[in-house]
Amino acid sequence: MIIPHSSPLIDEKDIQAVSGVLASGHIAQGEKVKEFEKEVAEFVGSSYGVAVSSGTSALHLALLSLGIKKGDEVIIPSYVCSSLYMSIVQSRAIPRIVDINPDFNLSPVSVKNALNSRTKAVIAPHMFGTPAELDELIHLDIPVIEDCAQSLGAQYRNKKVGNFGRITICSFYATKMITTGEGGMVLTNDSDIFQNILERREYDKKTLKISRFNYKMTDFQAALGLSQLKKLDYFIERRRMIAETYKKQFSPFNIQLPELPSYKKSVFYRYIIMTEKKDIVQKRAYEKGIICERPVSTPIHQELGLKQFPGSDHAFDNALSIPLYPKLTGKEIDYLTDKICAILREI
Ligand SMILES: *Cc1c(COP(=O)(O)O)cnc(C)c1O
């Protein structure tokens, strides 16, 4: 049996939805994109949504819409994919890298220490589906961009994430909570920001007065997104159920499992175990056909040669992501827990 680290769940209805658009002849950005924007905004609870080509382009437009320019600083955590760093560099601003808390999310204390007169925004990813410390971040009084690429449907104090910052971005890459293959969205309640992003997404029949991009989504991607969105509540329920099973099975062993305060509800985009022996676990799981991964390939501060990021270093050295996604069958889950428990017993 081979259990990949992640795999999207595409069913017959998804395929029909895409085929329908392809057969219609109207395949580029059109009515389906508009419908998808409306539905995602509704799901999260935002006034406006703008669908784009990726989470990274969503971040880029979000930064530009805040008026971020050369010399401005934008705060991001070290323990995250390089998309955040790149979107800031593309906006000609300076990424300011800060450390994380033990739950892998941005440390509000580190953010506070990094603030200065050039700070124009903070990007807060809800890592692995678990909400960041939103209250403390919002109170710092700089615009917060919520990065919900991994966390659609997660809740913070009984409210869905994506409702707390000035702008929210999503990603619909193949392995995210729902997929359009590649894709993203910007969400906001601010009509000026909405208009600004809508303007910049495309160039055709538009003025030369602002910098514009071709960041559009196609209608056949939006059709897939709409079809996937109908299953999102089920996807989340299934992810939580599998996480519950893993917790039951793995708790007897000497490893650290995800722990959540009662005011946060995770969607378990990833299931992360922490152990000094993660390399051995990964290797032995691989031998059994179970693909576990480092959830972040290299922390940004290490890439840049920066020091004194104990939280991020600790996560990098100990975190291992165990496959968890709605497509996993009962049989696969049994096989996985059986083998992983056997490995944990040996080490
Ligand atoms: C995937 C991801 C992104 C980037 O999204 P793409 O669609 O791959 O460009 C940004 N932030 C986080 C937290 C992500 O997981």
Side-chain angles (χ1 to χ4, degrees), residues 236-283:
I236 292 169
E237 194 185 310
R238 182 103 188 113
R239 283 179 178 276
R240 286 183 174 147
M241 217 189 68
I242 299 170
E244 201 52 45
T245 303
Y246 289 178
K247 183 180 175 179
K248 241 182 244 149
Q249 295 286 332
F250 303 154
S251 55
F253 303 104
N254 185 27
I255 57 170
Q256 201 183 315
L257 301 178
E259 252 178 71
L260 285 150
S262 57
Y263 62 94
K264 291 187 186 184
K265 269 181 128 180
S266 182
V267 290
F268 293 98
Y269 171 66
R270 296 283 187 234
Y271 193 88
I272 311 295
I273 64 167
M274 294 285 280
T275 164
E276 283 166 19
K277 298 185 173 154
K278 75 158 193 347
D279 290 336
I280 304 174
V281 176
Q282 184 180 18
K283 182 169 166 283

Side-chain angles (χ1 to χ4, degrees), residues 54-56 59 80-81 83-84 125 147 149-150 171 173 176 182-183:
S54 71
T56 309
L59 279 171
V80 72
C81 62
S83 160
L84 283 67
D147 180 341
Q150 308 186 347
S171 164
Y173 174 66
K176 301 295 165 97
E182 296 277 3

